Amino acid sequence: MSVSTFPVQRETFFDPPRELLTFPPVQAVHLEDGTRSWVVTGHAEVRAVLADPRFSSDRTGAVTADNPERARRLRELRERRGEGTPPGSFIGMDPPEHGQYRKLLTSQFTLRRMRALETRIAEIVSDQLDELAASAQPADLVAHFAMPVPSLVICELLGVPYARRTEFQHATKTLLRRDTDVDEIERTTVAVRKFLHELVRDKHGAPTDDILSGLIAQSGLTDEELVNISFLLLAAGHETTANMLGLGTFALLCHPEQLHILRAYPGLMPTAVEELLRYLTVISSLVPRVATEDLSIGDDLVRAGETVGLSLAAANRDGALTENPGELDVSRARTHHLAFGHGIHQCLGQQLARSEMTVGFRALLDRFGTLRLAVAPEEVPLRSDMAIYGVHELPVAW
Amino acid sequence: MKIIANTEVCIGAGQCVLTAEKYFDQSEDDGTVIVLNETPDAGDEGAVEEAVNICPSGALSIER
């Protein structure tokens, strides 16, 4: 198939593009410049690629089929400047460099630590629900709840002043928009890096009790590395969970029978969170990997240097993963879903995200027994224009 | 049945702890896996196998 026909538009609120769901598990796509890229949608195949060290996570040369033109322009820009993966940005690194950075952070995000943090998360959630309750109806659930909760939590953990949230929230939003041009990406990156460089400099002088100060004291990282790690954690720490909270609430309100089950059996919340992660899979852009040698995925031969784009969203709707994958079923037993990825790059903050969602959804449902959409579902502005799917706003009443 | 863990490979995702808390924990130092009891009790084999299968980094295996 040619890239001009690559499906990115959704026909429904919660399903990935229908054509993507009908792809074979591994599909070759011919880009307009004559090169070949791959799209992988099968659950077993996506999982296998993510676990295979012969696929590199260095995406500086990657061109996925869902936004090839922008990827190519970015690649040209980086090549012209001789830039590779920024130091410290370990999401784009392979072993052994990847592990050296990740190991500095894993102890901060263990399941035990995140559960210990749940009391504090509950306070933050409660404050935001107070704010929502005091708002005129209809109120936007994204602005009062879904976005502030994870932003406040990651700011506190990392040691970023929440008062300066607009600077990183704006940057993340710009960088995640599919149509942001290369010049704007440049300007935004420069601005957010300036903000983080100032923050790192301040922490050197006056350390506080947070991850960033801890890294400065113990790790021997350069300021450049600290800035890139901070931006990675900050961006990954708020946009993903924010969209799960917003889109998850929208999904529950659109599936009243599921919402009813969850209200009747609140103990189901942890598995319901797993099901929402699977069903909604907000990482809607293709996850890039680059083949470092000629290798096969099933019967298909991928050549060295070719990009493989992984659709986590399609993989999580594979019938081989679970029965009736197109149904939202909060009672479904936990699946091996790929919403947090797989392999050595699997989400560092996944236990934090689980805690935020479990505490957040539980408190929202407890507090707002009559929560409802304040507009028709068709009027909810969807994030079809963003690399992370969700709702831009969710007007609710109660 | 015996649980084998490779902490060199482990990335500290915590999936094993989430799946079988009785058998796995994470190090306070670097978040890597700690096996609390390497021989699962009768009836717990399923949960331990699930933890091994869900491990993202391939750090866990079972010796029979």
Side-chain angles (χ1 to χ4, degrees):
Chain A
M1 72 182 293
S2 109
V3 73
S4 53
T5 62
F6 187 82
V8 290
Q9 283 308 318
R10 293 167 184 251
E11 295 93 21
T12 64
F13 305 133
F14 308 116
D15 303 322
R18 193 182 53 224
E19 290 163 87
L20 201 57
L21 295 177
T22 60
F23 273 15
V26 182
Q27 164 88 48
V29 177
H30 298 281
L31 307 180
E32 280 165 352
D33 67 353
T35 61
R36 187 170 65 168
S37 190
W38 296 83
V39 179
V40 184
T41 53
H43 178 266
E45 290 80 2
V46 169
R47 203 171 189 263
V49 171
L50 288 171
D52 189 335
R54 296 172 301 170
F55 285 100
S56 172
S57 289
D58 179 347
R59 68 266 327 262
T60 49
V63 179
T64 50
D66 54 349
N67 205 348
E69 202 38 54
R70 193 174 88 170
R72 245 192 316 269
R73 287 204 305 274
L74 273 172
R75 184 175 62 184
E76 283 163 15
L77 186 78
R78 290 193 191 109
E79 278 171 1
R80 207 161 55 230
R81 295 188 176 162
E83 286 174 359
T85 300
S89 191
F90 59 95
I91 193 171
M93 292 180 184
D94 298 317
E97 291 79 12
H98 164 264
Q100 288 161 7
Y101 289 108
R102 181 162 173 139
K103 278 231 155 108
L104 295 172
L105 294 161
T106 37
S107 66
Q108 306 286 338
F109 292 94
T110 61
L111 182 62
R112 190 207 295 254
R113 268 201 183 223
M114 296 303 108
R115 287 199 177 145
L117 197 65
E118 284 185 5
T119 316
R120 179 64 192 130
I121 295 173
E123 286 170 6
I124 289 172
V125 163
S126 175
D127 288 349
Q128 290 311 128
L129 293 178
D130 285 347
E131 187 187 298
L132 181 64
S135 306
Q137 301 184 44
D140 178 14
L141 184 116
V142 172
H144 293 293
F145 173 71
M147 183 54 90
V149 166
S151 299
L152 279 157
V153 172
I154 196 68
C155 278
E156 222 171 274
L157 273 178
L158 204 54
V160 175
Y162 183 66
R164 300 189 66 180
R165 64 191 175 277
T166 46
E167 292 172 70
F168 68 81
Q169 284 178 349
H170 172 76
T172 310
K173 193 164 189 179
T174 304
L175 297 176
L176 287 175
R177 234 173 43 228
R178 290 183 195 272
D179 63 354
T180 302
D181 70 35
V182 175
D183 293 337
E184 199 178 348
I185 289 175
E186 276 284 287
R187 277 197 303 276
T188 307
T189 309
V190 168
V192 77
R193 291 173 53 78
K194 181 169 173 289
F195 160 61
L196 289 169
H197 263 292
E198 286 167 13
L199 182 70
V200 167
R201 204 188 50 216
D202 292 349
K203 297 263 172 200
H204 273 296
T208 35
D209 182 19
D210 48 56
I211 292 179
L212 189 50
S213 298
L215 284 176
I216 289 172
Q218 289 158 19
S219 64
L221 295 172
T222 65
D223 283 8
E224 188 66 16
E225 290 171 313
L226 290 163
V227 162
N228 292 322
I229 290 174
S230 299
F231 188 52
L232 183 58
L233 297 188
L234 211 46
H238 79 277
E239 272 282 349
T240 45
T241 308
N243 283 301
M244 275 304 302
L245 288 171
L247 188 64
T249 305
F250 183 33
L252 288 172
L253 293 174
C254 288
H255 293 81
E257 74 298 342
Q258 296 298 314
L259 183 57
H260 181 75
I261 294 171
L262 208 44
R263 285 191 188 280
Y265 302 97
L268 277 178
M269 191 53 87
T271 47
V273 163
E274 297 298 322
E275 172 66 350
L276 287 166
L277 283 161
R278 180 198 71 81
Y279 181 71
L280 299 171
T281 313
V282 293
I283 308 293
S284 60
S285 58
L286 298 177
V287 174
R289 290 292 184 270
V290 177
T292 58
E293 56 184 88
D294 291 356
L295 45 86
S296 52
I297 314 176
D299 297 333
D300 294 286
L301 181 68
V302 177
R303 295 289 183 187
E306 288 181 336
T307 300
V308 173
L310 310 172
S311 174
L312 303 180
N316 282 340
R317 296 297 187 93
D318 187 336
L321 171 65
T322 186
E323 276 179 32
N324 302 320
E327 306 280 313
L328 173 67
D329 174 3
V330 294
S331 327
R332 191 190 300 268
R334 180 178 163 220
T335 62
H336 287 202
H337 68 73
L338 300 172
F340 291 121
H342 186 67
I344 61 168
H345 289 277
Q346 194 179 61
C347 181
L348 173 68
Q350 60 181 287
Q351 307 304 350
L352 173 60
R354 287 186 169 104
S355 289
E356 288 173 329
M357 281 184 266
T358 307
V359 173
F361 284 128
R362 192 176 280 153
L364 176 70
L365 299 190
D366 277 355
R367 179 89 178 258
F368 295 86
T370 56
L371 190 72
R372 63 181 194 275
L373 282 179
V375 296
E378 295 74 25
E379 287 170 35
V380 173
L382 303 172
R383 290 172 48 113
S384 304
D385 52 337
M386 307 296 281
I388 299 180
Y389 187 61
V391 291
H392 284 294
E393 290 170 30
L394 192 67
V396 292
W398 51 90
Chain B
M1 184 176 181
K2 187 182 167 192
I3 305 168
I4 313 284
N6 181 348
T7 51
E8 289 300 307
V9 172
C10 176
I11 53 148
Q15 295 266 30
C16 54
V17 192
L18 191 67
T19 310
E21 212 160 352
K22 191 171 153 191
Y23 294 92
F24 302 98
D25 199 354
Q26 287 171 276
S27 148
E28 290 282 322
D29 296 332
D30 64 3
T32 55
V33 61
I34 295 171
V35 179
L36 300 172
N37 173 3
E38 61 183 19
T39 46
D41 299 339
D44 289 346
E45 288 99 339
V48 169
E49 279 170 8
E50 174 70 5
V52 170
N53 289 337
I54 210 164
C55 171
S57 64
L60 296 176
S61 54
I62 287 171
E63 201 178 83
R64 287 175 201 277

